[in-house]
Amino acid sequence: MSPPPPDDVVRPGLRSPSTERPAGPWTRPFARFRAHTAIRPLFRCRACGARWPCQPARLTLLFMYRDDPHGLRLHLGRKLLTALADQPQSDAVTLAVRLLGWLPPTPAERAGATARRPPRSAG
């Protein structure tokens, strides 16, 4: 059995380490991206200071949970419970609308909404 090749040797079919990484500012470890997460107990965005979930956080959450809309609702439901515990003087309905009201309807909710729609009158 032969020893593995040293790290600086490029094996056939592989690119050299210097060309493996794409160029651009998003690949640097010191890039200026800050995650749009909530600061507790105020539930303000850590990056932009807006009320959380801010627009970038919403887009990120929709992307992360694109295959699991129910998981996104559970995640935000847990955040709602945390926010209610952190801010007991806040209105629960206002927090619920802020954290959950922006979500698009799931396919099941859309199907139920069309089934409950009254028929159009002919005329």
Side-chain angles (χ1 to χ4, degrees):
M1 187 162 157
S2 64
D7 290 337
D8 59 345
V9 174
V10 177
R11 289 180 234 134
L14 296 178
R15 293 184 283 176
S16 66
S18 62
T19 60
E20 284 184 18
R21 286 182 251 143
W26 57 88
T27 60
R28 292 180 282 192
F30 53 86
R32 294 183 182 191
F33 176 77
R34 293 187 70 188
H36 289 262
T37 56
I39 297 176
R40 289 178 58 193
L42 300 175
F43 272 80
R44 291 276 183 180
C45 178
R46 182 178 308 277
C48 63
R51 293 176 8 176
W52 195 87
C54 58
Q55 189 62 34
R58 292 176 183 188
L59 289 173
T60 303
L61 287 167
L62 285 173
F63 178 76
M64 287 173 52
Y65 286 93
R66 66 187 174 274
D67 297 327
D68 187 15
H70 299 291
L72 175 59
R73 292 178 189 288
L74 288 173
H75 173 73
L76 289 174
R78 281 187 234 114
K79 292 286 187 187
L80 175 61
L81 292 176
T82 305
L84 288 171
D86 286 348
Q87 303 173 13
Q89 74 283 1
S90 296
D91 182 35
V93 174
T94 304
L95 276 174
V97 168
R98 180 172 132 193
L99 291 174
L100 297 167
W102 61 273
L103 291 172
T106 62
E109 291 171 344
R110 273 184 257 141
T114 57
R116 284 181 268 152
R117 191 175 293 160
R120 293 184 181 181
S121 62

